[in-house]
Amino acid sequence: MAVIRSLLFNLLFYPGTLVYVLGVIAVSPLGDGPVQATVHGWSNFHHWLVRHVLGIRFEIDGKVPEGAYLIAFKHEAMVETIEALRFAEKPVVVMKRELTTIPLFGWVTRRYGVIGVDREAGARALRNMLAEGKRAIEQGRPVAIFPEGTRVPHGKRPELRPGFAGLYRALGLPVVPVAHDSAKIWGRGLAKRSGVIHVRVGEIIPAGLKRDDIEARVHAAINLLNS
């Protein structure tokens, strides 16, 4: 049954995504508001499919505050990368640069506002991330980041990538950590099991901490549900 539900999800989600991509292109001349509304409509469409086709619910403890924050998400599956658009108000998402170069979809991500990171570019990638992050702050938008850098199986606790501490220091923003256990039911394979994804929004971590301190506190907070 899980395989059938997952196949149906894919048959609906990916063609539907193309419709929303074309919708963003169509409304783009009208300004940022219609673009953002269309992108958020896509994330709501995804959420509806997750809930009603895959049978996955979210139990959320806490709420991401509005305003300019650095939001640090645990990264276990694809599902939270799209749900991030629902957890925060118009977040600028840090993502792999490869995703921003996908035909049509990549243009939409850049039009909405993302920070594409080239992992092979070293210091240049960090400079670009900082510049885009400061632009997000000027717009009053939060920056969502997955500080582990890549998806990890549930139960794994890798160290944070160094770019997180650099972004934290340069932007001077407090951090909102978000823990979850999505990989318990959303694996890398085709079949997604029905069930509950638990999400916990941690206490705000202030700006201005030393690197070892901020990394330790964020690492502990995003792994609270990692048992």
Side-chain angles (χ1 to χ4, degrees):
M1 192 63 183
V3 172
I4 294 174
R5 286 196 303 263
S6 299
L7 284 171
L8 180 59
F9 171 83
N10 288 340
L11 288 172
L12 294 172
F13 174 65
Y14 290 104
T17 294
L18 178 58
V19 171
Y20 277 98
V21 165
L22 296 176
V24 171
I25 294 172
V27 303
S28 182
L30 302 178
D32 292 344
V35 167
Q36 293 167 357
T38 306
V39 171
H40 295 151
W42 170 69
S43 68
N44 290 334
F45 166 68
H46 171 265
H47 182 83
W48 189 93
L49 292 177
V50 169
R51 176 68 185 91
H52 296 284
V53 176
L54 294 179
I56 296 173
R57 296 184 296 108
F58 291 85
E59 288 189 358
I60 303 174
D61 180 4
K63 186 177 186 298
V64 174
E66 295 184 7
Y69 290 90
L70 188 57
I71 308 171
F73 287 88
K74 180 71 180 175
H75 197 10
E76 293 187 354
M78 182 192 80
V79 63
E80 66 265 12
T81 62
I82 302 176
E83 286 294 314
L85 299 176
R86 293 172 48 83
F87 290 142
E89 181 69 21
K90 297 182 292 187
V92 173
V93 182
V94 179
M95 62 173 58
K96 294 185 296 185
R97 183 179 178 275
E98 299 94 292
L99 296 176
T100 70
T101 61
I102 297 173
L104 296 181
F105 179 82
W107 182 88
V108 168
T109 66
R110 298 192 303 273
R111 181 65 180 83
Y112 172 79
V114 300
I115 301 174
V117 179
D118 183 353
R119 295 174 180 173
E120 307 300 323
R124 179 165 57 84
L126 181 57
R127 288 195 298 271
N128 176 69
M129 187 164 59
L130 298 181
E132 295 295 333
K134 290 177 179 177
R135 185 173 296 115
I137 293 176
E138 292 171 357
Q139 298 172 349
R141 299 173 67 180
V143 176
I145 187 170
F146 300 87
E148 293 163 320
T150 190
R151 289 177 293 172
V152 297
H154 188 73
K156 297 296 183 181
R157 303 166 59 100
E159 295 301 315
L160 308 187
R161 299 292 292 263
F164 168 75
L167 189 64
Y168 166 79
R169 182 177 62 253
L171 298 184
L173 294 177
V175 179
V176 180
V178 180
H180 59 82
D181 57 3
S182 65
K184 279 188 172 181
I185 57 177
W186 192 291
R188 287 179 177 260
L190 169 65
K192 308 296 187 281
R193 297 190 293 113
S194 61
V196 178
I197 294 176
H198 302 89
V199 180
R200 182 176 298 174
V201 180
E203 294 184 1
I204 296 172
I205 302 173
L209 300 179
K210 293 182 178 180
R211 176 173 178 172
D212 289 347
D213 193 5
I214 186 59
E215 288 186 338
R217 292 180 64 171
V218 168
H219 188 266
I222 66 175
N223 283 290
L224 278 177
L225 301 179
N226 204 1
S227 60

